[in-house]
Amino acid sequence: MTRVLLLGGTSEASQLARELAARRVDAIFSYAGRTAAPLPQPLPTRTGGFGGSEGLARFLRAEAISHVVDATHPFAAQMSRNALAACAAAGVPLCAFERAPWTAGPGDDWRHVPDIPAAVAALPESPARVFLAIGRQTLAPFAARPQHHYLLRLVDPPAGPLPLPDVAVVIARGPFTRAADEALLAAHGIGLVVAKNAGGAGARAKLDAARALGLPVILIDRPALPPRRIARTVGEVLDFLAHRADLGV
Ligand code: NAP
């Protein structure tokens, strides 16, 4: 019997949830619980951590999960590592529904950096107006460069003080459009964009807007993960679900 655990938190996961629900696939959708009002899903939904890889392995057994689809954000590396370990321990096949990373095209002015500390180090010395499009969890390292004005875009209003001295916050949830992001960058006088190489369509708008405005981008590479089976399309996920025996990558 097919019973899927879909690890979510991305627009790709929501797209897949719609497809699975339409096909009446037995599936549970899982949210970490980071946002105050997560999008409702057309699948039975649970919220919150599992308690590490051991907790997830227990969940897989208790819920008789036959397949795990990891559709978390490419920077949610802890969850993805836990899912790999738990699936190995419980003998459940896993597939990542992962968007391809963005690649620069004509007119893009991107500087690739390996991680957040490298992005901080790549900032200019002279004060700049920076669109820091990295969410709210990894802001603190940027306090080492307090001379800059930072524009943040967050899903929820910050619950407490932010670790940056000169900051403006816009509350919005993607997907975004190039035209709207161009207007946002222009309205805030932004001169530099810092972003994670998330891939996907909805988050790409800020990079297209930066290109249109001739702005440089510091683009943070994805964290490395162990080898795993990857699906780029819903069809590839459905193929994976059709083959219970495939435990490989
Ligand atoms: P993370 O650092 O990889 O995971 C930290 C812990 O959060 C995990 O060990 C797990 O707790 C719990 N967790 C994460 N995703 C979960 C899920 N889908 N269901 C249940 N528990 C989950 O993750 P993160 O970077 O904080 O991301 C959290 C959520 O936000 C994910 O759903 C991700 O897709 C989404 N998101 C992340 C980013 C980003 O830039 N990191 C951007 C957009 C959306 P336990 O160990 O207790 O199981």
Side-chain angles (χ1 to χ4, degrees):
M1 287 281 285
T2 298
R3 182 161 161 79
V4 180
L5 173 64
L6 172 53
L7 300 170
T10 59
S11 42
E12 285 73 14
S14 300
Q15 177 202 1
L16 186 56
R18 289 192 293 275
E19 300 282 352
L20 296 183
R23 289 171 171 78
R24 302 195 185 285
V25 175
D26 183 11
I28 302 174
F29 191 99
S30 177
Y31 272 127
R34 295 280 189 276
T35 56
L39 289 180
Q41 297 293 339
L43 295 173
T45 301
R46 63 164 304 286
T47 301
F50 296 96
S53 64
E54 290 174 7
L56 178 53
R58 280 194 297 276
F59 181 91
L60 298 178
R61 292 189 184 103
E63 290 287 339
I65 298 296
S66 67
H67 297 75
V68 171
V69 179
D70 179 357
T72 58
H73 191 273
F75 282 73
Q78 187 60 53
M79 184 69 251
S80 292
R81 288 194 189 99
N82 289 354
L84 279 165
C87 285
V92 174
L94 176 145
C95 178
F97 186 35
E98 190 189 89
R99 37 203 175 173
W102 295 313
T103 53
D108 284 322
D109 177 7
W110 297 359
R111 171 158 176 203
H112 294 270
V113 294
D115 51 27
I116 296 274
V120 175
L123 290 173
E125 285 302 329
S126 51
R129 296 182 68 82
V130 180
F131 181 27
L132 191 51
I134 60 166
R136 74 178 147 91
Q137 292 189 67
T138 43
L139 296 174
F142 289 87
R145 296 299 185 98
Q147 68 269 46
H148 303 306
H149 171 81
Y150 294 101
L151 169 65
L152 311 180
R153 178 160 60 193
L154 306 176
V155 175
D156 295 312
L162 292 163
L164 304 170
D166 181 3
V167 67
V169 178
V170 171
I171 305 300
R173 190 198 297 262
F176 304 104
T177 65
R178 183 197 54 76
D181 274 5
E182 210 178 311
L184 177 76
L185 297 181
H188 287 263
I190 295 301
L192 172 66
V193 175
V194 178
K196 295 172 173 174
N197 194 341
R204 155 109 217 171
K206 56 184 172 279
L207 303 181
D208 295 335
R211 177 173 53 207
L213 294 168
L215 302 181
V217 176
I218 296 172
L219 197 60
I220 304 166
D221 292 338
R222 297 170 175 201
L225 287 169
R228 55 188 186 157
R229 177 171 177 152
I230 289 175
R232 294 276 190 227
T233 63
V234 169
E236 288 174 18
V237 175
L238 295 176
D239 285 347
F240 161 70
L241 297 180
H243 295 287
R244 170 68 181 86
D246 184 357
L247 291 166
V249 294

